[in-house]
Amino acid sequence: MTSRLPMFDMLPNAGKAKLGCGLLSSFMAFFGLVFLSVMTTLVVSIGIWPGEMKLTAPILCPDEKPDPYVVSDTYSPQPGESSTTYTLYCVGERGDFEDVGVFRPMALLTLFHAGLWLAIPFVLAPIAMLRRRARQGDDDEATVKDRPEGDTGPPGTSRSPAVQRTEMTGSQNPVISGGVDDGPVIGG
Amino acid sequence: MRPWRGVVTLAAGAILLGGCIGATPRDDFEEEIRSRGGGFTESMIGGPLEDAARRLGTDDLQLLMLMATPEYAAVTMEVRNPNNSREVDRYFYQGGSLQSTEPVKVSVRDDLDSETIHVNDLAVDMLEEMTDQALATFDTEGGFVSSIQATSVWGPDDPSNMLLGWRISLSSPRTDAVASFAADGEFLGLELQ
């Protein structure tokens, strides 16, 4: 059976599998990002911080109505229940206003949140790398402090004075007494 | 203090303040609009007049009524059909967009010509100056423009003589007033209610 993509048929089976796997991963990553961004927008912009919609004002508000307001309307659909909706308005100097609604700000914020989620690895990776380097530096420094004076060997090869001390036994066979990390004592 | 405690505190604060951050209740928003003068701009009336003229394909738009309510960005006008002058439609605009049109019943005894307002006779481009002058003359704390109407007003020299003009209704928490202007924008007077 041939596919509609001739180039796909030219690939070896292993290549097809890799390509399929890559496409599936990209597809899932894309929809995962969309889901994450939409959920972030719903939780943050409706549940916690409706004023976040004001961040879209520079794009959505006309020049003559630059001041954004997120207006809340609370209704009571049934006794004991309340429902709140949010609308973004752009207000001018004379009090003239434009109803921007909620869909366009939310769509823009979803894009913004998607960008943030994408940026997180680029921010966290260098931080983690720097921290790892700093920790390595601390370890090396601690190791150098433990070394005896004059030991210029590479880090990690230093032995404590106890290790370097060679004890001579009565039979003149050398006995190397063990240090902390040196495992069992070799000796006669 | 462990870092996760900060995250938990932040989350708890966010839940407690949930839905409050950055939102303005409707009443406060309307108060803000009034404090800026009510929200009237020339385009609030000019836009719908241009749109109606374009829809009817005429340069001489004829109205029986024109009224704007800045607080709701709403404009209502009764327009005579240029092709059938006894046919009148009511156009309702909000936010600059036509929301609805509906026919208006006209009596055979109505003298429509005497009630007709020719839009070309109105100084629409002077409306912002007129509202500013009306508010300055009203000079009342919290004053704002509640409505603007093109209608017959008393003449400045001969009070018995009615002429085409503007009635600008002003409101404040303590008192109301009506400012009258001639069609060309000349200030005729302010009447406290």
Side-chain angles (χ1 to χ4, degrees), chain B residues 114-180:
Chain B
S114 67
E115 300 174 22
T116 295
I117 301 164
H118 292 265
V119 170
N120 290 339
D121 295 338
L122 297 169
V124 177
D125 57 342
M126 296 278 292
L127 273 170
E128 285 186 14
E129 288 172 39
M130 286 188 247
T131 52
D132 289 346
Q133 189 176 359
L135 281 170
T137 310
F138 187 37
D139 195 22
T140 303
E141 192 181 342
F144 65 97
V145 176
S146 58
S147 70
I148 296 168
Q149 194 175 3
T151 184
S152 298
V153 293
W154 299 111
D157 302 324
D158 180 6
S160 63
N161 181 29
M162 297 293 284
L163 51 88
L164 176 64
W166 299 98
R167 282 169 64 87
I168 298 178
S169 298
L170 306 162
S171 188
S172 76
R174 299 198 182 277
T175 183
D176 294 336
V178 175
S180 300

Side-chain angles (χ1 to χ4, degrees), chain A:
Chain A
M1 185 179 167
T2 56
S3 74
R4 270 185 273 176
L5 296 170
M7 286 187 69
F8 189 75
D9 292 329
M10 289 164 65
L11 287 171
N13 282 340
K16 285 177 190 174
K18 272 186 185 174
L19 183 64
C21 199
L23 283 174
L24 186 66
S25 302
S26 307
F27 187 74
M28 287 180 71
F30 174 74
F31 279 96
L33 180 67
V34 170
F35 177 76
L36 200 60
S37 309
V38 169
M39 290 309 290
T40 308
T41 305
L42 291 177
V43 170
V44 175
S45 302
I46 293 179
I48 298 171
W49 181 29
E52 193 191 20
M53 280 195 274
K54 291 180 191 174
L55 299 179
T56 63
I59 299 170
L60 296 178
C61 288
D63 291 343
E64 66 275 13
K65 296 169 190 165
D67 301 337
Y69 283 83
V70 177
V71 177
S72 63
D73 292 293
T74 303
Y75 307 97
S76 181
Q78 286 181 22
E81 284 183 17
S82 68
S83 167
T84 303
T85 60
Y86 299 102
T87 312
L88 177 66
Y89 286 92
C90 302
V91 181
E93 191 186 350
R94 301 175 63 86
D96 46 322
F97 58 87
E98 183 177 319
D99 180 348
V100 180
V102 72
F103 178 76
R104 284 191 293 157
M106 287 289 176
L108 273 178
L109 284 177
T110 303
L111 282 176
F112 174 67
H113 291 144
L116 278 185
W117 282 114
L118 281 174
I120 281 175
F122 292 99
V123 175
L124 288 187
I127 291 173
M129 206 179 292
L130 285 174
R131 286 186 66 176
R132 195 184 305 157
R133 276 185 192 167
R135 204 180 305 141
Q136 264 180 351
D138 288 348
D139 289 349
D140 291 348
E141 205 173 303
T143 310
V144 167
K145 274 182 187 170
D146 287 346
R147 276 191 217 170
E149 284 182 21
D151 184 358
T152 54
T157 60
S158 165
R159 289 176 183 276
S160 67
V163 175
Q164 291 185 325
R165 191 173 61 243
T166 304
E167 294 174 3
M168 301 301 287
T169 62
S171 59
Q172 296 300 304
N173 288 333
V175 174
I176 303 169
S177 55
V180 176
D181 298 321
D182 287 325
V185 174
I186 304 167

